[in-house]
Amino acid sequence: MKNNQSTPPPASYALSRIEKKKVKKNKISKKMKIWYFSLAIVLIVGLGSFIFRKELMIFGFDNVVAPTIEHTLDESYVPLKETEDDGIQAMTENKNRPFSILLLGTDQRGKENGLSDSIIYTVIRPEDHKALLVSIPRDSYAEIIGAENIKGARKETKINAAHSYGGPQMSVDTVKNLLNAPIDYYATINFNGLVGVTDALGGVVLPITKVIENKSPDHEKLRIEPNKPIYSGKEALMYVRYREDSDFKRTERQRIFLKAALDRMKRIDNILNIQNIIETAGSNFKTNMKSDFILDLAKKVILEGGTPEITSHMLQGEGKHTDQWYYILDENDVKRTHEMIEIWLNPESTEADLITASKDEAA
């Protein structure tokens, strides 16, 4: 006799409609948990990256960037004869103390020293992230220290001639004598290096609101259009070299460019690209700062403290024509500048002391 009862369906088909909804709900809940967990991980990593961004950048700078450029920086190291150990040993003992650098922009070509087109005596205060830039007009009439040892050199002439006579050594000695102030380090870069480094940075932002153009037939032709978002290395060079307004404006442009380049260097893409930037400077850059000191300073300025607050001053004087045109410095201003430098180099000076000593507006 046949059994008329049908075979019961498999368990999967035997679930009630309510049970099926519960299973489906559990699956969705599980997916949501995975999604929420993934989102939480992303948020934690993202928030951690934001909070510890500086620490991550410093770690990357120390372990990735620095080792790749140390050798290139070592090749740019050129010590001075008499002052090689003046500031270096002291800086090794206390890297946070104020120190001075003579910045020189030159028109060096080939094996010639070239004239120093820009001369800026700089005091860096690493501890409080401040810098003093004292611009010395290139045509300043000055005693050239060591000129008597160079055939054909003039003992008193434009200060920019010191570099053409005896390179960084004579420039350092001459500026030390002029300002009666110590110089721990020097750094020179020629025009090719300035153009190359600026382009490697992706250009710079400059506050140009009207056309800058040389009109005198005695000057090289240059023209810079205003209101561009970014200016190239060639345009930046024209900007710092333009001289058909005044020495004050010209030295001001040099300081503006330095700050713009520092601001541009802080971009993450440029920090990652620093090897290319340093290699671009290459033989166009010379200094008596050792690589480990430069790297420590770069890390502090670019990563830790941000662009330093800059206070600017230009040596005052007036133009006078004798055998040629000179900028005759005001002796009282030179004396006041010496006193200002002393205060800036004193590690015990307070912010109020710096403000009192520096009556020019901060850049």
Side-chain angles (χ1 to χ4, degrees), residues 124-131 300-301 304-310:
I124 305 292
R125 293 179 62 89
E127 191 68 23
D128 47 17
H129 307 291
K130 295 181 184 297
K300 182 174 286 290
V301 171
E304 296 179 8
T307 305
E309 180 184 347
I310 296 174

Side-chain angles (χ1 to χ4, degrees), residues 8-21 23-24 27:
S12 59
Y13 293 99
L15 295 174
S16 68
R17 185 176 295 176
I18 294 175
E19 289 171 330
K20 286 180 179 179
K21 284 184 177 179
V23 171
K24 187 175 182 180
K27 288 182 178 179

Side-chain angles (χ1 to χ4, degrees), residues 57-89:
M57 290 176 68
I58 291 173
F59 177 83
F61 187 90
D62 287 338
N63 295 278
V64 178
V65 174
T68 63
I69 63 175
E70 190 170 1
H71 176 68
T72 304
L73 290 174
D74 286 338
E75 291 182 341
S76 298
Y77 175 71
V78 180
L80 298 180
K81 296 176 183 176
E82 298 175 4
T83 58
E84 179 179 0
D85 295 323
D86 282 358
I88 294 174
Q89 191 157 0

Side-chain angles (χ1 to χ4, degrees), residues 180-352:
N180 188 23
I183 296 176
D184 296 313
Y185 301 104
Y186 80 89
T188 70
I189 188 166
N190 66 35
F191 295 149
N192 290 332
L194 186 147
V195 171
V197 168
T198 302
D199 286 337
L201 287 170
V204 290
V205 178
L206 298 173
I208 301 174
T209 57
K210 61 181 181 179
V211 172
I212 295 178
E213 183 177 19
N214 271 347
K215 296 181 179 180
S216 171
D218 296 331
H219 297 159
E220 61 179 315
K221 290 184 178 180
L222 65 82
R223 180 184 173 90
I224 315 172
E225 298 297 332
N227 302 315
K228 296 177 67 173
I230 295 291
Y231 287 91
S232 69
K234 185 177 180 181
E235 290 169 321
L237 177 60
M238 291 189 291
Y239 179 74
V240 299
R241 296 200 72 190
Y242 176 70
R243 57 184 307 178
E244 290 190 2
D245 45 11
S246 67
D247 281 324
F248 178 82
K249 289 290 186 181
R250 188 165 185 267
T251 57
E252 181 182 47
R253 284 192 295 274
Q254 293 169 359
R255 297 190 296 268
I256 289 172
F257 168 76
L258 282 176
K259 187 175 185 299
L262 278 174
D263 287 339
R264 196 72 174 168
M265 180 67 79
K266 291 191 303 179
R267 289 165 51 102
I268 292 178
D269 55 342
N270 279 327
I271 293 173
L272 297 175
N273 190 40
I274 197 166
Q275 181 180 4
N276 180 48
I277 295 169
I278 297 299
E279 288 178 350
T280 299
S283 60
N284 299 304
F285 173 69
K286 300 295 180 187
T287 183
N288 65 336
M289 292 182 283
K290 293 187 176 180
S291 59
D292 57 345
F293 176 69
I294 296 175
L295 292 169
D296 283 344
L297 180 62
K299 185 170 67 174
K300 182 174 286 290
V301 171
I302 298 172
L303 301 180
E304 296 179 8
T307 305
E309 180 184 347
I310 296 174
T311 297
S312 302
H313 177 70
M314 187 190 91
L315 291 184
Q316 302 299 301
E318 60 181 13
K320 183 178 181 181
H321 193 279
T322 53
D323 60 315
Q324 55 182 308
W325 194 91
Y326 296 103
Y327 189 78
I328 307 301
L329 296 172
D330 183 311
E331 292 183 6
N332 289 328
D333 183 67
V334 172
K335 181 180 178 181
R336 187 181 80 82
T337 302
H338 160 75
E339 294 168 352
M340 177 170 57
I341 290 170
E342 280 194 326
I343 292 172
W344 272 78
L345 285 173
N346 184 353
E348 303 301 321
S349 294
T350 65
E351 185 171 357

